[in-house]
Amino acid sequence: MMKNARLTPLLALLVLTACVVPTGPVEVTRFNRAAEGIPYGTGSFAVALVSESVSDQSLAGSPYLAAVAREMQRIGYRDNIGNSDVIAEVRFGATVIRSDRRAPVSVGVGGSTGSYGSGVGVSLGINLGNDSAALLQSSLAVRIVRRSDQMVIWEGTAVQSAKAGSPAAQPGIAASKLAEALFKDFPGVSGETIRVP
């Protein structure tokens, strides 16, 4: 009996982790230098949260850094925090789109303009009140920079909308979904925008 009492919380946790959280499609745009003969998926990598404000270096970025690191390993790079061959620069953000307003309300600070003109802010926290129709638009932007000459060899941006307050809008789930979509069929067709279900 005592053994069953100890197993019950573990079984509940397993059931919860097995649930699939429905998320909306992700819009992805990527640029690469494959036509120039740049090789991808070889060598070591490090990930870094990049922003214009020191306050952006927070725990809020942890799920995004972890998701990008998983994808970098999946596509062939090996983890090396020290003097890596490439650095995956990570930016993320969120915008609240409320039904009672004409313009979206941007949430977060920081931001940057990438070599192809992309840039997003870093989300710190959101108070949506009681607006059940509000959407949260989450963004993830990654640049892979070759350390030897600081050349950006790949860049991509992923954007997804989910109902505010839903499981799909939670940072951990959004980070995984955005990173998976961003690195799908890596390096992708340069300049093409795709929708990943």
Side-chain angles (χ1 to χ4, degrees), residues 6 20 59 101-103 105-106 156 176 197:
R6 279 186 257 160
V20 177
L59 289 175
R101 301 188 184 216
R102 291 185 144 172
V105 177
S106 185
S176 292

Side-chain angles (χ1 to χ4, degrees), residues 23-156:
T23 58
V26 180
E27 188 171 289
V28 175
T29 304
R30 299 173 286 195
F31 298 91
N32 63 60
R33 297 181 185 272
E36 299 170 32
I38 299 288
Y40 293 99
T42 61
S44 59
F45 80 95
V47 294
L49 187 62
V50 179
S51 65
E52 294 176 353
S53 170
V54 175
S55 67
D56 296 342
Q57 307 294 326
S58 66
L59 289 175
S62 297
Y64 294 90
L65 293 173
V68 170
R70 279 193 307 270
E71 291 301 312
M72 291 289 286
Q73 289 173 337
R74 185 187 61 76
I75 61 175
Y77 289 99
R78 64 182 188 280
D79 195 4
N80 181 357
I81 297 173
N83 194 20
S84 61
D85 297 314
V86 298
I87 302 168
E89 297 181 343
V90 177
R91 293 173 177 83
F92 69 97
T95 300
V96 178
I97 302 170
R98 298 187 182 190
S99 61
D100 62 341
R101 301 188 184 216
R102 291 185 144 172
V105 177
S106 185
V107 177
V109 295
S112 178
T113 301
S115 59
Y116 293 101
S118 64
V120 293
V122 176
S123 152
L124 297 178
I126 299 163
N127 180 8
L128 297 174
N130 292 323
D131 188 358
S132 61
L135 290 178
L136 181 66
Q137 188 176 70
S138 301
S139 306
L140 172 65
V142 177
R143 294 191 327 160
I144 299 177
V145 180
R146 191 164 60 190
R147 191 184 288 270
S148 62
D149 58 2
Q150 297 301 301
M151 177 187 282
V152 177
I153 61 171
W154 185 90
E155 181 172 11

